[in-house]
C-alpha cells in the first residue's frame, strides 16, 4: 500500500511538471496534430491515391497516434535525466519513499499523459473526417494494445534517461523510433516503396502494431498480425523494464560509492 501511495505521489509530481511546461505541450500534443493536418490537407491529395479503398485520414491516424507516443516518451527521458542531474533522485532516496515508486511514478505519469495526448489526436481526427467501424470489443482491444505500447516505450525512455550523460541527450533515442515510423506503413502502403525499403518496412516492429491498430479502427477486425503486435509490445516491455531496473541499481551503487 505504501509503495502504491508513493507511486501516486511521484506520478502527480511529474504530471504537474508536464502541465506547467508549455514547450512540452506544444511538442507532445500540438506537433503531432499539426503533422496530421499537414499530411491530410497538404499531402493527402498525392499520397491518398495510394491508399485504395481507405480514406487517407483513416489510413494515417494510427501512425500519427504512434508518433504522438514517441514524442511524449522523449520528454519522459528528459525529465528523468533532469531530476538525476539536479540530484533530486538522490534526495528522494534519502526520504521515507518506497524505492520502486521513483521509477514507477515516472512510468505512470508518462502513460497517463500519453493516453490523454492520443485521445486529443483521435478527437481532432474525428473532427476532420476520420470514421471508425470498430465496435466496443475492438475499441477495447485497441486501448489495450495502445497502453501496452506506451508502457513498453516509456520504460525504454526511462532506461535511456538513466543511461544518458545529459538531459539534452536523454531523448535523442526517439529520433531512431521516429525513423522507424516513417519507414513503416504509417503514411503510405509498403507496396509503394522500393523493394529494399519494403523488405525492411514489412519486418520491423512498428509495422504489425500500426497495421493492427489500423485494422481494428477501420475494418473492426484485429487483422492477421494482432498476435505479433502484442508479442512485440510485451517483449519490449519485459526487456526494457529489466534493463531500466538494472541501470537504476547501477546508478544507485555509483551514487553511494
Amino acid at each position: 500500500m505504501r509503495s502504491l501511495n508513493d507511486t501516486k505521489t511521484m506520478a502527480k509530481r511529474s504530471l504537474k511538471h508536464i502541465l506547467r511546461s508549455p514547450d512540452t505541450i506544444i511538442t507532445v500534443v500540438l506537433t503531432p496534430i499539426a503533422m496530421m493536418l499537414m499530411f491530410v490537407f497538404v499531402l493527402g491529395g498525392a499520397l491518398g491515391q495510394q491508399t485504395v479503398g481507405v480514406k487517407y485520414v483513416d489510413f494515417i491516424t494510427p501512425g500519427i497516434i504512434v508518433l504522438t507516443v514517441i514524442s511524449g516518451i522523449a520528454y519522459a527521458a528528459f525529465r528523468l535525466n533532469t531530476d538525476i542531474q539536479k540530484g533530486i533522485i538522490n534526495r528522494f532516496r534519502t526520504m521515507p519513499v518506497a524505492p520502486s515508486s521513483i521509477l514507477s511514478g515516472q512510468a505512470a505519469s508518462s502513460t497517463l499523459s500519453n493516453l490523454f495526448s492520443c485521445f486529443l489526436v483521435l478527437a481532432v481526427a474525428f473532427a476532420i473526417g476520420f470514421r471508425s467501424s470498430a465496435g466496443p470489443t475492438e475499441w477495447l482491444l485497441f486501448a489495450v494494445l495502445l497502453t501496452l505500447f506506451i508502457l513498453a516505450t516509456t520504460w525504454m525512455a526511462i532506461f535511456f534517461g538513466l543511461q544518458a550523460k545529459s538531459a539534452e541527450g536523454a531523448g535523442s533515442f526517439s529520433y531512431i523510433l521516429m525513423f522507424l515510423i516513417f519507414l513503416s506503413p504509417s503514411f503510405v502502403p509498403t507496396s509503394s516503396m522500393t523493394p529494399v525499403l519494403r523488405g525492411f518496412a514489412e519486418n520491423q516492429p512498428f509495422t504489425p502494431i500500426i497495421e493492427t491498430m489500423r485494422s481494428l479502427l477501420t475494418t473492426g477486425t484485429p487483422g492477421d498480425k494482432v498476435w505479433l503486435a502484442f508479442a512485440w509490445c510485451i517483449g519490449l516491455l519485459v526487456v526494457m523494464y529489466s534493463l531500466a531496473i538494472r541501470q537504476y541499481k547501477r546508478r544507485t551503487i555509483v551514487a553511494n560509492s
Side-chain angles (χ1 to χ4, degrees), residues 62-83:
I64 295 295
I65 289 173
V66 171
L67 180 64
T68 303
V69 174
I70 300 307
S71 299
I73 63 164
Y75 272 87
F78 174 82
R79 289 191 303 271
L80 176 60
N81 194 270
T82 299
D83 284 348

Side-chain angles (χ1 to χ4, degrees), residues 40-153:
V40 172
F41 294 112
V42 179
L43 304 175
L47 298 179
Q49 296 176 6
Q50 303 175 38
T51 58
V52 180
V54 181
K55 287 193 304 182
Y56 192 59
V57 64
D58 294 349
F59 185 86
I60 70 167
T61 295
I64 295 295
I65 289 173
V66 171
L67 180 64
T68 303
V69 174
I70 300 307
S71 299
I73 63 164
Y75 272 87
F78 174 82
R79 289 191 303 271
L80 176 60
N81 194 270
T82 299
D83 284 348
I84 292 173
Q85 300 300 330
K86 291 182 177 179
I88 296 176
I89 298 297
N90 286 335
R91 195 179 309 163
F92 283 148
R93 291 178 54 254
T94 64
M95 299 170 64
V97 174
S100 61
S101 67
I102 297 174
L103 295 187
S104 58
Q106 292 278 353
S109 65
S110 175
T111 301
L112 291 173
S113 62
N114 276 292
L115 283 172
F116 182 71
S117 298
C118 291
F119 172 78
L120 292 180
V121 168
L122 265 175
V124 173
F126 273 107
I128 63 175
F130 173 77
R131 295 297 179 264
S132 175
S133 300
T137 302
E138 289 74 31
W139 274 109
L140 178 60
L141 192 58
F142 171 81
V144 172
L145 178 59
L146 176 61
T147 303
L148 275 175
F149 178 70
I150 293 174
L151 279 171
T153 51

Side-chain angles (χ1 to χ4, degrees), residues 2 17 24 48 62 85 87 93 120 125 132 143 152 156 167 172 206 234 244 254:
R2 175 194 167 191
H17 280 286
T24 302
Q85 300 300 330
R93 291 178 54 254
L120 292 180
S132 175
M156 180 187 294
S172 59
F206 280 3
I234 294 172
V254 171

Side-chain angles (χ1 to χ4, degrees), residues 218-237:
T218 58
T219 68
T221 60
D224 58 357
K225 296 184 178 180
V226 58
W227 298 114
L228 186 57
F230 275 94
W232 270 114
C233 289
I234 294 172
L236 185 64
L237 173 58

Side-chain angles (χ1 to χ4, degrees), residues 27-28 31-32 35 63 66-75 171-184 186-187 204 206:
T27 303
V28 173
T31 299
M35 288 192 66
V66 171
L67 180 64
T68 303
V69 174
I70 300 307
S71 299
I73 63 164
Y75 272 87
S172 59
F173 76 98
S174 64
Y175 293 112
I176 299 175
L177 301 185
M178 288 184 181
F179 179 74
L180 292 178
I181 294 174
F182 284 98
L183 283 182
S184 74
S186 295
F187 304 108
Q204 59 118 323
F206 280 3

